[in-house]
Amino acid sequence: MPTNVYDPPALVPGTLRVTPLGGLGEVGRNMTVFEYEGKLLVVDCGVLFPEEHQPGVDLILPDFEPIKHRLDDIVGVVLTHGHEDHIGAVPYLLKLKRDIPILGSGLTLALTEAKLKEHRVKPYTLTVAEGQREKVGPFDLEFIAVNHSIPDALAVAIRTPAGMVLATGDFKMDQLPLDGRITDLRAFARLGEEGVDLFLVDSTNADVPGFTPTERSIGPVLEQVIGQAPRRVIVASFASHVHRVQQVLDAAAAHGRRVALLGRSMVRNMTIAEELGYLNVPEGVLIDYKKARDLPEDRIVYMSTGSQGEPMAVLSRMANLDHEIEPGPGDTVILASSLIPGNENAVYRVIDGLTKLGATVVHKGNAKVHVSGHAAAGELLYCYNILKPANVLPVHGEYRHLMANARLAQETGIPAERTILGENGTVVDLRDGRAEVVGQLDLGFVYVDGSSVGEITEADLKDRRILGEEGFISVIVVIDAATGAIITGPEIHARGIAEDAGVFESVKPKIAAALAEAARSGTRDSHAMSQVVRRTIGRWVNQTLRRRPMIVPLVIEA
Amino acid sequence: MPTNVYDPPALVPGTLRVTPLGGLGEVGRNMTVFEYEGKLLVVDCGVLFPEEHQPGVDLILPDFEPIKHRLDDIVGVVLTHGHEDHIGAVPYLLKLKRDIPILGSGLTLALTEAKLKEHRVKPYTLTVAEGQREKVGPFDLEFIAVNHSIPDALAVAIRTPAGMVLATGDFKMDQLPLDGRITDLRAFARLGEEGVDLFLVDSTNADVPGFTPTERSIGPVLEQVIGQAPRRVIVASFASHVHRVQQVLDAAAAHGRRVALLGRSMVRNMTIAEELGYLNVPEGVLIDYKKARDLPEDRIVYMSTGSQGEPMAVLSRMANLDHEIEPGPGDTVILASSLIPGNENAVYRVIDGLTKLGATVVHKGNAKVHVSGHAAAGELLYCYNILKPANVLPVHGEYRHLMANARLAQETGIPAERTILGENGTVVDLRDGRAEVVGQLDLGFVYVDGSSVGEITEADLKDRRILGEEGFISVIVVIDAATGAIITGPEIHARGIAEDAGVFESVKPKIAAALAEAARSGTRDSHAMSQVVRRTIGRWVNQTLRRRPMIVPLVIEA
């Protein structure tokens, strides 16, 4: 994957080495390793969700290769917030070594621990908060409040004798957030005056001009839609978006409706958020799903998962009439969520299904029911100007996002040679206020696929793509090991290709003839015979059916 | 697929029957059949492009079933314009009967004939133009100019003694189109005064508020981007978008650049458009691709295909450095096109690839380089008010689009019971100024897959999806037909699943044991033995690998 792989030099004392293992050139599996004098600090450890060219894959992990044999050197893992793309790979890291200490805010750790519980792992944790400083090995950490689409997100300043690094995690700069917890620009200013040597900054929305609207702007829209809804209301959003759910609860309460949570992750996360005080449930608003059915239809809001059209989530099942709640005329469905690229067709299928059932569907295409969780270009400019970092490494984004972020840095006066466009595995050394690329590791994709981790290869995925597009034809021939004569077959089985009865009959004599010819010329071993079969039927299929299915020749000696 | 299938009654004299075969509940394969006194008129005959749940499929055709045995009754096929989703299935219809007459405008027929030539079919055609009336069997046709994202589009009014139908085809109402050919609202007004009994109207953008901006607004943006480009410019757009290409030619000419066309369909279509006078090439601007390489880099614009991220098209190949033209720093790439849902990831991959190579990428996300070809809600309201149709059948769109269009009709005062929300196969009878749903045919998807048409079934596609997500495991056992004893095997072959060496060794004895047990209890036939193999390895794989691959047991008697 990476261009131009080369090894970094041995790390010399007094130098801080920064190596992102994930999140550069992709949206997901964020993870960065910091090394100083033999000790490693990890910031975030997330998963990436597969795209359509990675069929069947459940999750993609960062490639742990560079730290696999140095697990004892890891002094801690800092988790900036509780989203999957920042915490999802923690169970897989802890399976390599259970006692690596995990640091994070209260909500972040609660969500991480719930996830680890499913993997039957109990971690060592240290809860930290904004303003707090912690010495972890040679790393002097300071945590700074940032605002994001989940509460309790933190940026982390990492001080070593080599210099100070500020890593934002995911953030935006909502100036009127629901919980009043803004990105702490006073702290940014103080760090800027002290001198930020390297700035690792969220790039997700760097190519979006202007400013992300405040989360608060969604409230009145929700209130209006819920207030005017004649029958049931179903709201779908991300299961970790506490403030979005808060606004739904508030709007429901304002209109005398009660709210039932639907979907395993929604119930789990909101229970955690309420227990820890991040979700403020208006008195008597929440109601158990089973009891909600007894309420009049204009007194209920269902808050569910499935806003991305996931086929097994509540909303898709409702749209397919495969759920106890069957939407109908007069019902209102609100998709209070973004549309993640790649999910469009699935989401539109859900919208169409619900519309066809008679429901009114409100979504970001026709109402202001979603704002992003990431800083847009205008906000990033504020950060650059208040921090004036010596060096910048844009992180968290596809290449076009990293590039857009680097350009913003340069517009505020940071020299081009001090803005680093990296990839996963780019090794950056910081010393004397200068950050320099000193190596490029060769990192891959680690696929979680059923119970297997890291066993599925690119070749397996290519096989799946061929099988999925073209199907396969297997040809079984049992031959006499001594003479090469056919005992049984050829039998032909095909799946996933157009096969009218008898389509393969005409090729069987050709295969038999080719095998007889091969036997006559002395071929005996089953591998060579297999190749004869493959060539014969492969050519026939390409010409006759104009397809290129996978050919699986099985020549068995008896 | 359709809900509530039921047969329509026999058609009584004096009634016009309207049956859409495609384009309702989907964007593509538009086709509607009109029947009057035993004769059939077809309007449009297009293809649909497959989605991700239809892997490997090349094209999807309308289901010709209702007209297959009535080909002699077809008096003509009217093509409203030259896009694939309106003309693409014509070759497949003409393969059923070669001499069905085709009617359309000059450009529409030229593009259709070029397509038919690839299928080695020479059609009977009649070129028609706006203002023209033609009697085709019992149908009295009048053609009306409409504006769309391809020149020479026509709406068609169909008069029969049962009433008058107006079918818009695809259209919008650009009031300042490049060619001055506006949607003819004077004709609409005249038809409205005469009395439109049934209005078949394009729904594609019915859920988009307001008005589609004029195509002309893109020109200045193209001019500015091309004018400021330091090196080469590469523009990608749809290969049939003559006016978009026109604006690129004009902008190039204004800045002293020459234009080379790239991509087979782009070259073919623009050659046709120029020959017929729809494309006005400024003197000396077009240059052959091979000669273009000798020009200075700031004197050239490449006009190419591939704006939807199609992997084999020119632009994707450039982004992968798999094309003679290798984009680099200073080059500018303009994607002057929409982003069709489902193509997002592919397009973003191309944008990232080009950005990484150093090119500046301009697209509709960051500049106004595209406008839609379809009427938005505001334009549709004009149509309803000027036509005041007695009955409305929204066509061309997903269900949410049809629904939005029906609501617009109702807002202008058309009663809800006179706006028909149909599906493919909905049979609508028009008589005495009333349109009524009288039946629902059971129509399917007809898949073109390599050389096969209509042979791939939903079961085949399900097999492909399983194979593509999970791979397969085949188990071959050769048994003695008389005793059921194993002669050879079990041999296990797997593709597309994680298999470290020897993972299957542990299950082989289980399979052998299960077969021996079956043989002992008297099982002999290979089908029953296959089921034993399938159950044994299936259970083992689900438990051990936590996957559900396709299991292909092959028990061979020798």
Side-chain angles (χ1 to χ4, degrees), chain B residues 14-306:
Chain B
T15 301
L16 175 69
R17 177 159 288 180
V18 184
T19 312
L21 302 188
L24 273 67
E26 61 200 4
V27 176
R29 59 168 186 159
N30 297 288
M31 181 170 188
T32 304
V33 178
F34 297 83
E35 178 173 6
Y36 189 78
E37 310 221 318
K39 294 297 175 192
L40 305 177
L41 177 78
V42 175
V43 174
D44 290 327
C45 188
V47 292
L48 173 68
F49 295 100
E51 290 188 9
E52 65 275 19
H53 62 283
Q54 296 155 324
V57 170
D58 299 319
L59 295 170
I60 304 170
L61 308 183
D63 190 342
F64 295 153
E65 194 54 42
I67 57 169
K68 228 172 210 167
H69 306 287
R70 302 193 54 193
L71 298 169
D72 290 339
D73 297 332
I74 303 176
V75 294
V77 176
V78 172
L79 302 176
T80 58
H81 63 282
H83 280 154
E84 288 297 319
D85 56 336
H86 290 255
I87 68 168
V90 171
Y92 301 93
L93 181 64
L94 292 199
K95 276 176 192 168
L96 302 180
K97 185 169 190 284
R98 297 229 156 192
D99 61 356
I100 298 173
I102 312 288
L103 294 86
S105 69
L107 182 62
T108 304
L109 288 183
L111 292 171
T112 305
E113 283 171 27
K115 167 173 293 299
L116 283 165
K117 203 171 171 187
E118 291 171 9
H119 289 260
R120 299 204 193 97
V121 178
K122 222 182 138 12
Y124 290 83
T125 58
L126 178 69
T127 305
V128 294
E130 50 266 37
Q132 194 168 332
R133 282 182 85 143
E134 282 295 329
K135 191 103 168 93
V136 179
F139 306 96
D140 181 3
L141 307 182
E142 177 180 349
F143 298 95
I144 300 119
V146 292
N147 171 253
H148 184 41
S149 47
I150 188 170
D152 224 9
L154 293 170
V156 59
I158 304 165
R159 290 182 181 84
T160 68
M164 189 230 288
V165 180
L166 176 62
T168 61
D170 287 351
F171 82 112
K172 60 177 171 176
M173 305 219 292
D174 193 338
Q175 294 301 299
L176 296 167
L178 278 198
D179 59 3
R181 187 174 175 276
I182 56 173
T183 292
D184 188 353
L185 286 188
R186 284 191 182 179
F188 277 25
R190 176 170 48 75
L191 294 173
E193 293 198 351
E194 180 182 338
V196 173
D197 296 296
L198 178 62
F199 184 37
L200 272 65
V201 51
D202 180 10
S203 308
T204 315
N205 275 0
D207 64 348
V208 176
F211 295 79
T212 302
T214 174
E215 171 71 23
R216 210 176 274 272
S217 64
I218 295 169
V221 183
L222 290 174
E223 271 231 27
Q224 193 195 6
V225 175
I226 292 174
Q228 294 176 352
R231 292 182 60 199
R232 296 175 296 190
V233 175
I234 300 154
V235 186
S237 192
F238 299 106
S240 63
H241 205 318
V242 177
H243 290 166
R244 195 66 48 85
V245 175
Q246 181 73 58
Q247 299 206 85
V248 173
L249 294 180
D250 294 344
H255 293 284
R257 288 184 184 244
R258 303 188 74 181
V259 178
L261 301 176
L262 277 178
R264 202 175 56 92
S265 53
M266 179 66 75
V267 172
R268 187 193 73 179
N269 292 351
M270 291 310 139
T271 305
I272 290 171
E274 189 189 1
E275 277 171 18
L276 298 182
Y278 296 99
L279 185 71
N280 177 15
V281 180
E283 178 94 14
V285 156
L286 276 184
I287 182 169
D288 187 73
Y289 163 60
K290 284 179 188 148
K291 290 189 188 143
R293 288 171 297 185
D294 302 331
L295 290 175
E297 291 190 322
D298 61 352
R299 299 290 91 188
I300 181 73
V301 172
Y302 293 103
M303 180 76 230
S304 92
T305 55

Side-chain angles (χ1 to χ4, degrees), chain A residues 390-451:
Chain A
N391 302 276
V392 175
L393 176 64
V395 294
H396 310 339
E398 302 278 0
Y399 194 83
R400 64 184 181 280
H401 304 131
L402 307 179
M403 172 69 105
N405 210 350
R407 288 219 173 108
L408 292 174
Q410 289 159 22
E411 282 172 21
T412 67
I414 298 165
E417 64 275 18
R418 304 265 59 83
T419 58
I420 299 171
L421 277 166
E423 300 177 72
N424 294 331
T426 299
V427 183
V428 177
D429 278 0
L430 178 68
R431 190 187 172 82
D432 301 334
R434 285 180 76 88
E436 219 95 48
V437 174
V438 299
Q440 175 64 52
L441 310 181
D442 186 12
L443 301 183
F445 290 99
V446 176
Y447 299 111
V448 177
D449 191 88
S451 64

Side-chain angles (χ1 to χ4, degrees), chain A residues 51-52 55-56 342 344-345 348-349 352 356 400 449-451 463-464 468-469 476 495-496 544-545 547 556, chain B residues 51-52 55-56 342 344-345 349 352 399-400 449-451 463-464 468-469 476 493 495-496 544-545 547 556:
Chain A
E51 290 188 7
E52 64 276 19
E344 289 83 357
N345 281 337
Y348 287 134
R349 255 196 300 281
D352 278 316
K356 206 158 185 171
R400 64 184 181 280
D449 191 88
S451 64
D463 279 352
R464 285 186 187 171
E469 296 265 304
I476 309 111
R495 294 301 284 270
T544 311
L545 305 181
R547 304 291 305 183
I556 295 160
Chain B
E51 290 188 9
E52 65 275 19
E344 290 83 356
N345 281 335
R349 255 196 301 282
D352 276 317
Y399 194 83
R400 65 185 180 280
D449 191 90
S451 64
D463 279 352
R464 285 186 187 172
E469 295 265 305
I476 310 112
H493 296 261
R495 294 301 284 270
T544 311
L545 304 181
R547 304 291 304 182
I556 296 159

Side-chain angles (χ1 to χ4, degrees), chain A residues 1 3 25 51-53 55-58 207 209 341-346 348-349 351-352 355-360 363 365-366 398-401 403 407 423 448-452 455-456 460-461 463-465 467-472 474 476-478 487-489 491 493-500 534 543-547 550-558, chain B residues 1 3 25 51-53 55-58 207 209 341-346 348-349 351-352 355-360 363 365-366 398-401 403 407 423 448-452 455-456 460-461 463-465 467-472 474 476-478 487-489 491 493-500 534 543-547 550-558:
Chain A
M1 287 285 296
T3 43
E51 290 188 7
E52 64 276 19
H53 63 284
V57 169
D58 299 318
D207 64 347
N343 298 345
E344 289 83 357
N345 281 337
Y348 287 134
R349 255 196 300 281
I351 293 176
D352 278 316
T355 307
K356 206 158 185 171
L357 294 172
T360 301
H363 55 91
N366 57 25
E398 302 278 0
Y399 194 83
R400 64 184 181 280
H401 304 131
M403 172 69 105
R407 288 219 173 108
E423 300 177 72
V448 177
D449 191 88
S451 64
S452 83
E455 287 177 20
I456 282 283
D460 291 322
L461 293 183
D463 279 352
R464 285 186 187 171
R465 289 194 297 265
L467 286 168
E469 296 265 304
E470 305 273 346
F472 74 91
S474 66
I476 309 111
V477 190
V478 183
I487 298 173
T488 310
E491 271 194 30
H493 297 261
R495 294 301 284 270
I497 75 169
E499 26 161 353
D500 45 356
R534 179 194 304 281
Q543 283 170 6
T544 311
L545 305 181
R546 303 247 167 245
R547 304 291 305 183
M550 182 177 287
I551 307 283
V552 187
L554 302 162
V555 175
I556 295 160
E557 297 175 3
Chain B
M1 287 286 298
T3 43
E51 290 188 9
E52 65 275 19
H53 62 283
V57 170
D58 299 319
D207 64 348
N343 297 345
E344 290 83 356
N345 281 335
Y348 287 133
R349 255 196 301 282
I351 293 176
D352 276 317
T355 307
K356 205 157 186 174
L357 294 172
T360 300
H363 54 93
N366 58 24
E398 303 278 1
Y399 194 83
R400 65 185 180 280
H401 304 133
M403 172 69 102
R407 289 218 173 108
E423 300 177 73
V448 177
D449 191 90
S451 64
S452 83
E455 287 176 20
I456 281 284
D460 291 321
L461 293 184
D463 279 352
R464 285 186 187 172
R465 289 194 297 266
L467 287 168
E469 295 265 305
E470 304 273 345
F472 74 90
S474 65
I476 310 112
V477 191
V478 183
I487 298 173
T488 309
E491 271 194 32
H493 296 261
R495 294 301 284 270
I497 75 168
E499 26 160 351
D500 45 356
R534 178 194 303 280
Q543 283 170 6
T544 311
L545 304 181
R546 304 243 167 248
R547 304 291 304 182
M550 182 178 286
I551 307 284
V552 186
L554 302 162
V555 175
I556 296 159
E557 297 177 4

